[in-house]
Amino acid sequence: MSGDSTPLHSSAVIYEAVQTLRNGGLVAIPAETVYGLAADAKNPDAIKKIFVAKERPSNHPLIVHLAAPDKFDQPQIDWIALLAPWARDVSEDALKLINQFWPGPLTLVFKKDKGVLNELTGGQDTVAIRAPAHPIAIGLLRKFKGGVAAPSANRFGKVSPTSAADVRQEFEGMLGLMVLDGGDCDVGIESTIIDLSSGDKAVLLRPGAITPSEIMAKTGVRVYLPGEIKGDNEKEDLPKVSGSLKAHYAPTTPLRLYAPGRVLDALSEFPDTKSRVAIAVWDSESSLGHDGHPAARFEEVEISSDSVAFASCLYRSLRDLDQQGWDLILFPEPPVGEEWDGVRDRLQRACFGSGPSSSNHDSN
């Protein structure tokens, strides 16, 4: 969303979207993270349409999106009741995270209720749930009065969409796809995912805007990294979640990261990239200059050295550069620090999956 110009939808449009979902159709919805391709989470045929549209492997789980009802007279939302049809064993720690961060870019993984469809969970005994913070998504979910499955609204493994135009371009020619325009996404990368399904430890499965330090500071809940709990025979039991494949979020143009001050090294590493190179540089650093540059033609693209602003524009930058016909895109390695872990994760997966043959990587 951007400023006051956000095109909030009329109740008639929201009503049409609700009817589309109830009829088993797909609706692209804005979230504060990225745009999602939404279907009724209780309808197996509708869920299958998501997998077909995205060309996504059917064993790859989806996240259920919920919203609390609009009750002004309640001091606190009864999340336990809202989660009851989906999740078992909602712990005290889970409620601390929910009451602090929902609605917001935090997904929690629980043991699933027996009524949750296998199509939704990739056949696992866990389910991932979040409450999006975008007003259009909240309005839609409240009127729908149920959960929707909504992975990012893009072809599987490709760069996630952060505007309605991105979604339309991604699914050009797909008849009947309703796209709700909620402006540009604020956060710009997918939600943080925390696994609470083992009962005793909260484990980070995907980094995002909400960091373990922030969770600790605001709730007192310690979030472990997967590597910290090895030895408990738990490493094999971590649920598979969205965005956990090695290749993901990838442009068709080859994408590489360069270490601080090592642009020339990065370029000499890829001599086969011909001549047109787009080089992202921090706004806090001086221009690279053309001296001794092996690339016949390169262009500097300034990117924010603030982690929040960088995340907000990351996919927009990758999409735009991907469409400009460069032979190679170079991005600086993000600085060390938890606040950069989300974008570092996305960039590393994007690099691995990038290039014209990126579809070959998707199964890795």
Side-chain angles (χ1 to χ4, degrees), residues 278-363:
I279 303 172
V281 292
W282 300 118
D283 55 11
S284 54
E285 293 182 0
S286 59
S287 171
L288 297 168
H290 284 247
D291 294 344
H293 212 291
R297 170 139 186 262
F298 78 97
E299 187 173 301
E300 291 178 22
V301 181
E302 202 171 86
I303 51 172
S304 177
S305 49
D306 171 78
S307 61
V308 173
F310 181 96
S312 175
C313 298
L314 173 61
Y315 291 149
R316 169 84 282 122
S317 303
L318 287 179
R319 271 183 177 269
D320 290 348
L321 291 169
D322 204 19
Q323 285 160 19
Q324 289 167 15
W326 299 101
D327 296 319
L328 175 68
I329 301 167
L330 290 177
F331 259 71
E333 290 175 3
V336 174
E338 226 182 44
E339 71 275 19
W340 288 96
D341 285 351
V343 290
R344 183 182 299 104
D345 171 80
R346 305 311 189 275
L347 276 170
Q348 286 170 344
R349 294 176 200 277
C351 286
F352 188 82
S354 69
S357 60
S358 56
S359 56
N360 304 338
H361 296 301
D362 285 350
S363 57

Side-chain angles (χ1 to χ4, degrees), residues 109 193-195 203-207 226 238-241 244 349:
V109 177
I193 301 181
I194 304 287
D195 175 31
V203 184
L204 180 71
L205 299 186
R206 179 174 73 185
L238 289 174
K240 195 165 61 174
V241 291
S244 56
R349 294 176 200 277

Side-chain angles (χ1 to χ4, degrees), residues 31-166:
E32 74 281 20
T33 49
V34 300
Y35 274 70
L37 192 61
D40 179 356
K42 295 275 189 189
N43 182 335
D45 293 329
I47 292 168
K48 282 177 188 152
K49 287 180 186 173
I50 290 179
F51 285 97
V52 170
K54 281 179 62 71
E55 300 164 9
R56 180 183 176 109
S58 61
N59 65 350
H60 213 57
L62 305 177
I63 295 171
V64 178
H65 294 63
L66 302 173
D70 194 2
K71 292 183 179 166
F72 294 108
D73 54 342
Q74 276 183 280
Q76 195 155 15
I77 295 161
D78 184 2
W79 284 108
I80 295 253
L82 284 166
L83 289 169
W86 307 97
R88 291 192 290 118
D89 310 328
V90 178
S91 65
E92 283 301 308
D93 281 358
L95 284 173
K96 285 179 190 171
L97 296 182
I98 286 167
N99 288 322
Q100 178 64 49
F101 294 109
W102 281 9
L106 179 70
T107 295
L108 301 177
V109 177
F110 300 97
K111 283 276 183 256
K112 75 179 183 78
D113 182 79
K114 61 182 185 298
V116 176
L117 296 169
N118 278 331
E119 288 87 346
L120 200 63
T121 65
Q124 300 182 103
D125 65 351
T126 53
V127 63
I129 304 174
R130 95 174 186 94
H134 195 293
I136 291 177
I138 292 171
L140 174 70
L141 286 163
R142 280 178 177 163
K143 287 198 168 53
F144 181 63
K145 293 183 169 62
V148 303
S152 56
N154 55 295
R155 305 286 179 186
F156 185 68
K158 296 301 178 186
V159 180
S160 302
T162 53
S163 72
D166 290 345

